[in-house]
Amino acid sequence: MSLQGKRIGFGISGSHCTYEEVVPQVEKLVAQGAEVVPVVTGNVKNTDTRFGKGKDWVSKIEEITGQKIIDSIVAAEPLGPKAPLDCMVIAPLTGNSMSKFANAMTDNAVLMAAKATLRNQKPVVLGISTNDALGLNGINLMRLMATKNIFFIPFGQDDPEKKPNSMVARMSMLAETIEAALEYKQIQPVIVEKYLD
């Protein structure tokens, strides 16, 4: 399936170490002709880390997509009834945001955009990046995996020796995951050996 002309929301949450892997995927979606609507959490916009400044990441995403970042619940709500998306992506999806999403908590723009997309019975694609996917957050991961219209970029343990509970999506598989999700199919296998990438 072509992504040409598809309207894709792209939500980014605060796994700062993953941005370098995610941003090229946004570029690929734009290159394939998708209209990418960027959405960020406050943590992304306002936090400076050793991986870069929040304002610089926001500027880069706006430059790539040609659209202003959506960064409030109020601005994200119209993605439901008035300006619907064909698909909503959250990548990276932190453990914190994953636990909120799995328990129907909507306290930021990214989660509102995802909720609005599910309300329209459109697919939501998740690219996890969390240190506790196989720990306390395991229950939330499984809940989302069993939820209708939610699909996952294949993921695996990124450092099984030092961080045995940590799992990260293979972000390079984003476009093909979206293509499958637009047909309401989960790309397989969904569990991969991430650390071999």
Side-chain angles (χ1 to χ4, degrees):
M1 169 181 282
S2 170
L3 297 181
Q4 179 71 40
K6 297 296 184 185
R7 184 170 153 83
I8 299 172
F10 204 107
I12 302 174
S13 68
S15 179
H16 307 283
C17 61
T18 316
Y19 298 164
E20 284 287 348
E21 200 176 344
V22 168
V23 170
Q25 304 313 314
V26 177
E27 292 175 314
K28 286 180 184 177
L29 295 179
V30 172
Q32 290 180 40
E35 177 192 355
V36 178
V37 179
V39 189
V40 299
T41 64
N43 197 10
V44 173
K45 183 180 177 183
N46 301 315
T47 304
D48 297 340
T49 71
R50 64 189 172 100
F51 301 104
K53 295 182 177 180
K55 67 176 184 176
D56 293 339
W57 286 112
V58 166
S59 294
K60 187 165 191 164
I61 295 294
E62 288 181 336
E63 181 181 335
I64 292 167
T65 62
Q67 298 208 36
K68 186 160 177 51
I69 290 276
I70 293 173
D71 60 2
S72 72
I73 291 174
V74 172
E77 196 277 336
L79 296 176
K82 294 180 183 175
L85 302 167
D86 292 304
C87 178
M88 176 68 192
V89 174
I90 307 177
L93 175 69
T94 62
N96 183 48
S97 289
M98 180 166 68
S99 66
K100 291 177 181 180
F101 193 32
N103 290 283
M105 295 174 66
T106 309
D107 67 351
N108 63 53
V110 171
L111 295 176
M112 174 55 78
K115 177 182 175 182
T117 303
L118 285 180
R119 184 173 81 175
N120 291 337
Q121 299 183 48
K122 295 292 185 180
V124 173
V125 169
L126 304 178
I128 67 170
S129 180
T130 173
N131 286 323
D132 67 343
L134 296 177
L136 284 175
N137 236 330
I139 190 169
N140 296 312
L141 175 60
M142 291 301 110
R143 179 175 286 159
L144 290 170
M145 289 192 81
T147 301
K148 183 179 178 181
N149 297 335
I150 292 179
F151 304 91
F152 283 81
I153 302 169
F155 58 88
Q157 290 175 284
D158 55 305
D159 189 348
E161 297 299 322
K162 295 180 183 173
K163 301 188 298 180
N165 288 345
S166 180
M167 298 188 95
V168 177
R170 191 179 281 177
M171 300 300 179
S172 61
M173 298 184 72
L174 174 61
E176 56 194 295
T177 303
I178 293 172
E179 289 173 7
L182 287 168
E183 296 180 354
Y184 296 92
K185 295 177 183 174
Q186 172 62 58
I187 192 170
Q188 296 291 343
V190 69
I191 308 294
V192 295
E193 292 184 281
K194 166 65 181 165
Y195 69 98
L196 294 180
D197 282 357

